[in-house]
Amino acid sequence: MIIIPKRDYDASQLENLIGWLKGRGLEVHISKGENMTVIGLIGDTSKVDIDLIRSLDVVEDVKRIQEPFKNANRKFHPQDTVVHIGGVKIGGGNFQFIAGPCSVESESQIIGIAKAVKAAGAKLLRGGAFKPRTSPYAFQGLRGEGIRLLLEAKRETGLPIVTEIMDISQLPLFEEVDVLQVGARNMQNFELLKELGKTKKPILLKRGMSSTLQELVMSAEYIMAGGNENVILCERGIRTFETSTRNTLDLCAIPVLKSMTHLPVVIDPSHATGYAKYVKPMSLAAAAAGADGLIVEVHNDPQHALCDGQQSITPEAFASLAENVEKILPFAAK
Ligand code: PEP
Ligand code: MN
């Protein structure tokens, strides 16, 4: 349920109402925007008399929220959420590039790529240390050593780091990691989501390859229900009947998620297409459709990459992509 107070509401009357609602065991969430304040209620509102609340002097309107997600709902929180990562902002008009290799392979590889993507405009460095691979015989990532090398690259370049957590047991290793990525395969690992909800770390939540947008938002809700509002949603392509690309990039996810939620939406054109040559056109399309950022796989030597070389672009190609995307941003859908 949401309550919209009158524009020139009396603060003490509103305080009384909030106290009364809390006394009924409801969690009260206040969102103060430039033009409107919204009071969101979480909990069992079935016993709240909607007509009684509507009749109060201080109240303009009351609405029941039909959707099963509350914290992530835009009706609850009309203005865009801006996630702060160190000094970097994402969302609410702040577009960012996250770039780096699929996996961290060595110190010189990650530091070299970090410097190159920073020079091209990336504000965050990606790199997998724990890799979810289809085959148990494929490279599984450098694990703890990979995180150590990412932190080394962060010290060298100042770029905050984004890396995937696959299991709750890995959490102590992520203490200095700036953004924890939850991969497509773990989008519905609810125990992991609940644990991440107890932290204040920004979370990059990737859409499961066969998940609906509502399921993605419900997974964000798990994190937010625990008290962590720093969630960035990521569309990375879904499974369809099409076989010419690794996945099918659902660009509709951008406007749809933005109307459902107030969270930033980032696009991953690398996993969505699976081919380096399609990464730039899809990046331009995503920027035009109103995405808040891109997460792009960049490798200095894609042919010899230990993971996802086929879809990785070179630092030079990334520089050209970033330059072109910047030109589109002033015309992007709002
Ligand atoms: C990745 O970002 O390297 C990755 C494994 O992504 P996804 O979970 O989207 O497959
Ligand atoms: Mn990858």
Side-chain angles (χ1 to χ4, degrees), residues 39-70:
I39 316 259
L41 305 181
I42 304 178
D44 180 10
T45 55
S46 59
K47 292 186 187 71
V48 176
D49 183 345
I50 195 163
D51 294 323
L52 175 74
I53 295 183
R54 196 174 277 129
S55 69
L56 299 175
D57 249 7
V58 69
V59 172
E60 176 73 37
D61 201 6
V62 188
K63 288 182 191 143
R64 287 211 185 267
I65 292 190
Q66 302 302 330
E67 296 90 349
F69 49 97
K70 306 280 183 271

Short mmCIF file of all heavy atoms in Angstrom, two decimals, residues 39-70:
data_model
loop_
_atom_site.label_atom_id
_atom_site.label_comp_id
_atom_site.label_asym_id
_atom_site.label_seq_id
_atom_site.Cartn_x
_atom_site.Cartn_y
_atom_site.Cartn_z
N ILE A 39 4.64 7.48 0.97
CA ILE A 39 4.85 6.63 2.15
C ILE A 39 4.49 5.21 1.72
O ILE A 39 3.34 4.93 1.37
CB ILE A 39 3.90 7.05 3.30
CG1 ILE A 39 3.87 8.56 3.43
CG2 ILE A 39 4.21 6.28 4.58
CD1 ILE A 39 4.63 9.16 4.48
N GLY A 40 5.45 4.33 1.75
CA GLY A 40 5.20 2.94 1.38
C GLY A 40 5.03 2.09 2.63
O GLY A 40 5.75 2.28 3.61
N LEU A 41 4.07 1.18 2.60
CA LEU A 41 3.85 0.29 3.74
C LEU A 41 4.18 -1.13 3.34
O LEU A 41 3.70 -1.63 2.32
CB LEU A 41 2.39 0.35 4.19
CG LEU A 41 1.82 1.73 4.53
CD1 LEU A 41 0.39 1.61 4.99
CD2 LEU A 41 2.67 2.38 5.62
N ILE A 42 5.00 -1.79 4.15
CA ILE A 42 5.33 -3.19 3.88
C ILE A 42 4.83 -4.02 5.05
O ILE A 42 5.02 -3.65 6.21
CB ILE A 42 6.85 -3.40 3.69
CG1 ILE A 42 7.37 -2.48 2.58
CG2 ILE A 42 7.15 -4.85 3.33
CD1 ILE A 42 8.86 -2.58 2.35
N GLY A 43 4.21 -5.14 4.72
CA GLY A 43 3.67 -6.02 5.76
C GLY A 43 2.22 -6.33 5.42
O GLY A 43 1.78 -6.07 4.29
N ASP A 44 1.50 -6.88 6.37
CA ASP A 44 0.11 -7.27 6.10
C ASP A 44 -0.79 -6.04 6.23
O ASP A 44 -1.14 -5.62 7.33
CB ASP A 44 -0.30 -8.36 7.10
CG ASP A 44 -1.73 -8.81 6.87
OD1 ASP A 44 -2.33 -8.42 5.84
OD2 ASP A 44 -2.26 -9.54 7.73
N THR A 45 -1.14 -5.48 5.07
CA THR A 45 -1.97 -4.26 5.09
C THR A 45 -3.46 -4.60 4.94
O THR A 45 -4.29 -3.70 4.82
CB THR A 45 -1.55 -3.31 3.95
OG1 THR A 45 -1.61 -4.02 2.72
CG2 THR A 45 -0.16 -2.75 4.15
N SER A 46 -3.76 -5.90 4.97
CA SER A 46 -5.16 -6.28 4.71
C SER A 46 -6.12 -5.73 5.77
O SER A 46 -7.29 -5.51 5.51
CB SER A 46 -5.29 -7.81 4.60
OG SER A 46 -4.85 -8.39 5.81
N LYS A 47 -5.56 -5.49 6.98
CA LYS A 47 -6.46 -5.00 8.04
C LYS A 47 -6.46 -3.48 8.14
O LYS A 47 -7.11 -2.91 9.00
CB LYS A 47 -6.05 -5.63 9.38
CG LYS A 47 -6.34 -7.13 9.38
CD LYS A 47 -6.08 -7.76 10.74
CE LYS A 47 -6.22 -9.27 10.63
NZ LYS A 47 -5.09 -9.87 9.88
N VAL A 48 -5.73 -2.81 7.24
CA VAL A 48 -5.73 -1.35 7.28
C VAL A 48 -6.95 -0.84 6.52
O VAL A 48 -7.18 -1.25 5.38
CB VAL A 48 -4.42 -0.80 6.67
CG1 VAL A 48 -4.44 0.71 6.62
CG2 VAL A 48 -3.21 -1.30 7.44
N ASP A 49 -7.71 0.02 7.17
CA ASP A 49 -8.93 0.54 6.53
C ASP A 49 -8.54 1.68 5.58
O ASP A 49 -8.27 2.80 6.00
CB ASP A 49 -9.88 1.03 7.64
CG ASP A 49 -11.21 1.53 7.06
OD1 ASP A 49 -11.28 1.77 5.82
OD2 ASP A 49 -12.16 1.69 7.84
N ILE A 50 -8.56 1.36 4.31
CA ILE A 50 -8.10 2.30 3.28
C ILE A 50 -8.97 3.57 3.25
O ILE A 50 -8.46 4.68 3.08
CB ILE A 50 -8.03 1.57 1.91
CG1 ILE A 50 -7.24 2.36 0.88
CG2 ILE A 50 -9.37 1.19 1.37
CD1 ILE A 50 -6.79 1.54 -0.32
N ASP A 51 -10.28 3.41 3.49
CA ASP A 51 -11.18 4.58 3.45
C ASP A 51 -10.92 5.51 4.62
O ASP A 51 -10.98 6.73 4.48
CB ASP A 51 -12.64 4.12 3.43
CG ASP A 51 -12.96 3.38 2.16
OD1 ASP A 51 -12.41 3.79 1.10
OD2 ASP A 51 -13.69 2.37 2.19
N LEU A 52 -10.60 4.90 5.76
CA LEU A 52 -10.31 5.70 6.95
C LEU A 52 -9.06 6.56 6.70
O LEU A 52 -9.06 7.77 6.96
CB LEU A 52 -10.10 4.77 8.16
CG LEU A 52 -9.66 5.46 9.44
CD1 LEU A 52 -10.83 6.22 10.07
CD2 LEU A 52 -9.11 4.46 10.44
N ILE A 53 -8.04 5.94 6.14
CA ILE A 53 -6.79 6.69 5.89
C ILE A 53 -7.02 7.78 4.85
O ILE A 53 -6.57 8.91 5.00
CB ILE A 53 -5.66 5.72 5.48
CG1 ILE A 53 -5.36 4.80 6.66
CG2 ILE A 53 -4.41 6.49 5.06
CD1 ILE A 53 -4.25 3.84 6.46
N ARG A 54 -7.79 7.43 3.83
CA ARG A 54 -8.05 8.41 2.77
C ARG A 54 -8.80 9.63 3.31
O ARG A 54 -8.64 10.75 2.81
CB ARG A 54 -8.86 7.73 1.65
CG ARG A 54 -8.85 8.52 0.37
CD ARG A 54 -9.54 7.78 -0.77
NE ARG A 54 -8.68 6.81 -1.43
CZ ARG A 54 -9.01 5.55 -1.67
NH1 ARG A 54 -10.17 5.07 -1.26
NH2 ARG A 54 -8.18 4.76 -2.31
N SER A 55 -9.58 9.42 4.36
CA SER A 55 -10.39 10.53 4.89
C SER A 55 -9.57 11.49 5.77
O SER A 55 -10.05 12.55 6.15
CB SER A 55 -11.57 9.97 5.69
OG SER A 55 -11.07 9.38 6.88
N LEU A 56 -8.33 11.09 6.12
CA LEU A 56 -7.53 11.96 6.98
C LEU A 56 -7.13 13.25 6.26
O LEU A 56 -6.85 13.24 5.07
CB LEU A 56 -6.27 11.22 7.47
CG LEU A 56 -6.51 9.95 8.29
CD1 LEU A 56 -5.19 9.25 8.60
CD2 LEU A 56 -7.23 10.31 9.60
N ASP A 57 -7.07 14.33 7.05
CA ASP A 57 -6.72 15.66 6.55
C ASP A 57 -5.40 15.71 5.77
O ASP A 57 -5.26 16.41 4.78
CB ASP A 57 -6.54 16.57 7.77
CG ASP A 57 -7.64 17.59 7.82
OD1 ASP A 57 -8.56 17.46 6.99
OD2 ASP A 57 -7.55 18.49 8.68
N VAL A 58 -4.44 14.96 6.30
CA VAL A 58 -3.08 15.02 5.79
C VAL A 58 -2.89 14.20 4.49
O VAL A 58 -1.89 14.34 3.80
CB VAL A 58 -2.12 14.55 6.93
CG1 VAL A 58 -2.28 13.06 7.19
CG2 VAL A 58 -0.70 14.90 6.67
N VAL A 59 -3.91 13.39 4.16
CA VAL A 59 -3.74 12.43 3.06
C VAL A 59 -4.39 12.89 1.76
O VAL A 59 -5.54 13.31 1.74
CB VAL A 59 -4.31 11.05 3.49
CG1 VAL A 59 -4.33 10.07 2.31
CG2 VAL A 59 -3.49 10.48 4.64
N GLU A 60 -3.63 12.80 0.68
CA GLU A 60 -4.14 13.12 -0.66
C GLU A 60 -4.76 11.86 -1.29
O GLU A 60 -5.85 11.89 -1.83
CB GLU A 60 -2.97 13.61 -1.53
CG GLU A 60 -3.29 13.90 -2.98
CD GLU A 60 -4.09 15.18 -3.14
OE1 GLU A 60 -3.83 16.14 -2.39
OE2 GLU A 60 -4.98 15.20 -4.01
N ASP A 61 -4.01 10.74 -1.22
CA ASP A 61 -4.49 9.52 -1.86
C ASP A 61 -3.86 8.29 -1.22
O ASP A 61 -2.78 8.38 -0.62
CB ASP A 61 -4.14 9.57 -3.37
CG ASP A 61 -5.01 8.63 -4.19
OD1 ASP A 61 -5.95 8.03 -3.62
OD2 ASP A 61 -4.74 8.50 -5.40
N VAL A 62 -4.53 7.17 -1.37
CA VAL A 62 -4.02 5.87 -0.88
C VAL A 62 -4.23 4.86 -2.00
O VAL A 62 -5.29 4.86 -2.64
CB VAL A 62 -4.81 5.37 0.36
CG1 VAL A 62 -4.15 4.15 0.96
CG2 VAL A 62 -4.95 6.46 1.39
N LYS A 63 -3.21 4.04 -2.25
CA LYS A 63 -3.36 3.01 -3.30
C LYS A 63 -2.82 1.68 -2.79
O LYS A 63 -1.79 1.67 -2.11
CB LYS A 63 -2.54 3.40 -4.54
CG LYS A 63 -3.12 4.55 -5.31
CD LYS A 63 -2.28 4.83 -6.55
CE LYS A 63 -2.70 6.15 -7.17
NZ LYS A 63 -1.62 6.91 -7.72
N ARG A 64 -3.50 0.62 -3.19
CA ARG A 64 -2.94 -0.70 -2.90
C ARG A 64 -2.00 -1.05 -4.05
O ARG A 64 -2.31 -0.78 -5.21
CB ARG A 64 -4.04 -1.74 -2.81
CG ARG A 64 -4.85 -1.61 -1.54
CD ARG A 64 -5.39 -2.95 -1.06
NE ARG A 64 -6.26 -2.74 0.10
CZ ARG A 64 -5.84 -2.80 1.35
NH1 ARG A 64 -4.57 -3.05 1.63
NH2 ARG A 64 -6.69 -2.58 2.35
N ILE A 65 -0.87 -1.64 -3.73
CA ILE A 65 0.06 -2.06 -4.78
C ILE A 65 -0.23 -3.52 -5.08
O ILE A 65 -0.23 -4.36 -4.19
CB ILE A 65 1.52 -1.86 -4.33
CG1 ILE A 65 1.79 -0.36 -4.24
CG2 ILE A 65 2.49 -2.51 -5.30
CD1 ILE A 65 3.21 0.02 -4.04
N GLN A 66 -0.52 -3.79 -6.35
CA GLN A 66 -0.90 -5.15 -6.74
C GLN A 66 0.33 -6.04 -6.90
O GLN A 66 0.30 -7.22 -6.62
CB GLN A 66 -1.66 -5.13 -8.08
CG GLN A 66 -2.92 -4.27 -8.06
CD GLN A 66 -3.92 -4.70 -7.00
OE1 GLN A 66 -4.00 -5.87 -6.65
NE2 GLN A 66 -4.67 -3.74 -6.46
N GLU A 67 1.45 -5.43 -7.37
CA GLU A 67 2.63 -6.24 -7.67
C GLU A 67 3.21 -6.85 -6.39
O GLU A 67 3.13 -6.21 -5.33
CB GLU A 67 3.72 -5.39 -8.34
CG GLU A 67 3.32 -4.83 -9.69
CD GLU A 67 2.65 -3.47 -9.59
OE1 GLU A 67 2.30 -3.04 -8.47
OE2 GLU A 67 2.47 -2.83 -10.64
N PRO A 68 3.83 -8.03 -6.50
CA PRO A 68 4.38 -8.67 -5.29
C PRO A 68 5.71 -8.06 -4.84
O PRO A 68 6.26 -8.48 -3.84
CB PRO A 68 4.58 -10.12 -5.73
CG PRO A 68 4.73 -10.06 -7.21
CD PRO A 68 3.92 -8.89 -7.69
N PHE A 69 6.23 -7.07 -5.58
CA PHE A 69 7.47 -6.44 -5.14
C PHE A 69 7.15 -5.04 -4.64
O PHE A 69 6.37 -4.32 -5.24
CB PHE A 69 8.52 -6.41 -6.26
CG PHE A 69 8.02 -5.89 -7.58
CD1 PHE A 69 8.22 -4.56 -7.93
CD2 PHE A 69 7.36 -6.71 -8.46
CE1 PHE A 69 7.77 -4.07 -9.13
CE2 PHE A 69 6.88 -6.23 -9.68
CZ PHE A 69 7.09 -4.91 -10.01
N LYS A 70 7.72 -4.71 -3.49
CA LYS A 70 7.41 -3.43 -2.86
C LYS A 70 8.62 -2.50 -2.91
O LYS A 70 8.57 -1.42 -3.48
CB LYS A 70 7.00 -3.63 -1.40
CG LYS A 70 5.85 -4.64 -1.22
CD LYS A 70 4.51 -4.00 -1.51
CE LYS A 70 3.34 -4.93 -1.28
NZ LYS A 70 2.94 -5.74 -2.41
#
